[in-house]
Amino acid sequence: MASKDPGGFLQQLRQIAGRMSSGPRGSGLGVKLLIGAGALAYGVKESMYTVEGGQRAIIFNRIGGMELNTVLSEGLHFRMPWFQYPIIYDIRARPRKISSLTGSKDLQMVNIGLRVLSRPVASNLPFLYQHLGTDYDERVLPSIVNEVLKSVVAKFNASQLITQRAQVSLLIRRELIERAKDFNIILDDVAITELSFSREYTAAVEAKQVAQQEAQRAQFYVEKAKQDQKQKIIQAEGEAQAAKMLGEAVSKNPGYLKLRRIRAAQNIAKTVASSQNKVYLNADSLVLNLQDDSFNKLSLGK
């Protein structure tokens, strides 16, 4: 911002001229010309100012006050020294994080944090300066963010704040943007960055989750026992059916028992033959004597 008091510089130049006028007359004229050139250069310098990229300037006039219809864009501009001075605003979006402790619909305390990107409405900068000054975000954002957060969070239960987070964020964004328009502030983005509950509620949620897991585990064991019981029933029914079929087969054809005896004898003979030790056994007790008359006369009734 350009200097608001060029009179001090001119007074210093007059003092220097007074001290040097006591010298030779020629030197006094040169000093006056030098002072005049310095005053002219100072006036030209003070009459120019630059608005950088991403900034806007408004003009305050010491006689007429704020020029409400003047908003200057980027570039080089001129002013009347001492009578006018520019006020520079940065209109780029600036991030700000605001936290609020509020209550939910079911009376649970919730600590919620928001990150907002805000910038002023460039066309209304004179009005913004008159009512809020250059620190408009410090004056406005904390109050309206807390107001909107308390009104929105009170519409949801604590569990809904987690399960319906996208809907909560959208509602907060919508209401906060509308509220900021009343103060000539644009919010480019509103996002929930933090959502936490009290220790008591967190412990209760964890206990509830553990209880649900235990209930699901118990239900699994019950279902497993039912399935095991059905399996045993089916297995028993199958074994009974097999025994019934075996009995019917034997009753219809006694030769089935002879066939089973022959296979048993084959298995025993194979086991004994593969052994490295010499074994002497009674053939009758091991069902190996297939030439016995009792084998030929074997029937179901005998």
Side-chain angles (χ1 to χ4, degrees), residues 160-178:
Q160 292 175 334
L161 293 176
I162 300 176
T163 59
Q164 303 179 17
R165 180 165 179 165
Q167 181 179 352
V168 175
S169 178
L170 180 61
L171 188 58
I172 291 175
R173 174 188 175 90
R174 185 183 305 163
E175 293 192 11
L176 198 56
I177 289 177
E178 292 298 324

Side-chain angles (χ1 to χ4, degrees), residues 14-299:
R14 293 192 188 96
Q15 292 177 359
I16 295 174
R19 289 196 297 266
M20 298 184 66
S21 61
S22 57
R25 294 182 179 179
S27 62
L29 180 61
V31 169
K32 292 180 180 180
L33 292 176
L34 180 62
I35 293 174
L40 180 62
Y42 178 79
V44 172
K45 174 181 175 298
E46 289 297 316
S47 65
M48 296 186 300
Y49 62 94
T50 302
V51 179
E52 303 293 341
Q55 295 179 343
R56 295 292 185 273
I58 57 178
I59 300 298
F60 180 80
N61 193 313
R62 294 182 182 273
I63 298 177
M66 183 64 61
E67 298 181 7
L68 299 178
N69 297 325
T70 302
V71 177
L72 302 175
S73 59
E74 305 163 0
L76 181 65
H77 301 277
F78 296 91
R79 72 183 183 98
M80 295 179 61
W82 194 82
F83 290 101
Q84 294 177 330
Y85 65 88
I87 301 167
I88 307 296
Y89 269 91
D90 189 348
I91 62 169
R92 291 170 291 193
R94 292 186 293 181
R96 183 179 179 88
K97 185 177 180 180
I98 303 173
S99 298
S100 176
L101 183 64
T102 182
S104 62
K105 187 177 181 180
D106 53 353
L107 303 181
Q108 296 294 334
M109 298 308 297
V110 182
N111 186 19
I112 184 170
L114 282 186
R115 178 182 179 273
V116 296
L117 290 176
S118 63
R119 57 186 174 90
V121 179
S123 59
N124 292 337
L125 286 179
F127 178 84
L128 187 65
Y129 179 77
Q130 281 185 326
H131 292 82
L132 297 175
T134 55
D135 57 345
Y136 61 92
D137 53 344
E138 295 284 348
R139 297 172 180 263
V140 174
L141 290 181
S143 59
I144 65 174
V145 167
N146 278 282
E147 175 188 354
V148 171
L149 284 179
K150 291 182 183 299
S151 64
V152 172
V153 172
K155 299 177 182 178
F156 296 88
N157 294 329
S159 59
Q160 292 175 334
L161 293 176
I162 300 176
T163 59
Q164 303 179 17
R165 180 165 179 165
Q167 181 179 352
V168 175
S169 178
L170 180 61
L171 188 58
I172 291 175
R173 174 188 175 90
R174 185 183 305 163
E175 293 192 11
L176 198 56
I177 289 177
E178 292 298 324
R179 191 74 177 87
K181 287 181 180 179
D182 298 336
F183 299 93
N184 296 298
I185 299 175
I186 299 174
L187 299 182
D188 292 328
D189 183 61
V190 178
I192 298 177
T193 58
E194 181 183 359
L195 186 62
S196 59
F197 303 92
S198 62
R199 294 181 180 178
E200 294 78 7
Y201 181 78
T202 303
V205 171
E206 292 178 355
K208 182 179 178 181
Q209 293 295 326
V210 171
Q212 289 179 348
Q213 292 176 0
E214 293 293 337
Q216 292 176 355
R217 186 178 295 108
Q219 185 178 3
F220 169 76
Y221 289 146
V222 171
E223 293 295 331
K224 185 176 182 298
K226 290 181 180 180
Q227 294 298 326
D228 292 342
Q229 183 180 8
K230 291 180 179 179
Q231 180 181 359
K232 291 179 180 180
I233 293 173
I234 294 173
Q235 184 177 359
E237 291 177 351
E239 293 176 353
Q241 185 67 22
K244 181 180 178 181
M245 294 175 64
L246 180 60
E248 293 177 353
V250 171
S251 62
K252 293 179 180 179
N253 186 8
Y256 177 75
L257 292 179
K258 294 182 180 181
L259 179 61
R260 294 294 298 269
R261 188 171 182 178
I262 292 172
R263 290 180 178 176
Q266 289 176 346
N267 293 332
I268 294 173
K270 183 178 180 181
T271 302
V272 172
S274 62
S275 176
Q276 296 180 358
N277 300 322
K278 293 182 178 180
V279 180
Y280 297 95
L281 298 172
N282 187 354
D284 293 334
S285 61
L286 294 176
V287 203
L288 292 175
N289 190 5
L290 301 180
Q291 302 298 328
D292 187 57
D293 293 337
S294 61
F295 176 78
N296 295 325
K297 297 178 181 180
L298 182 65
S299 62

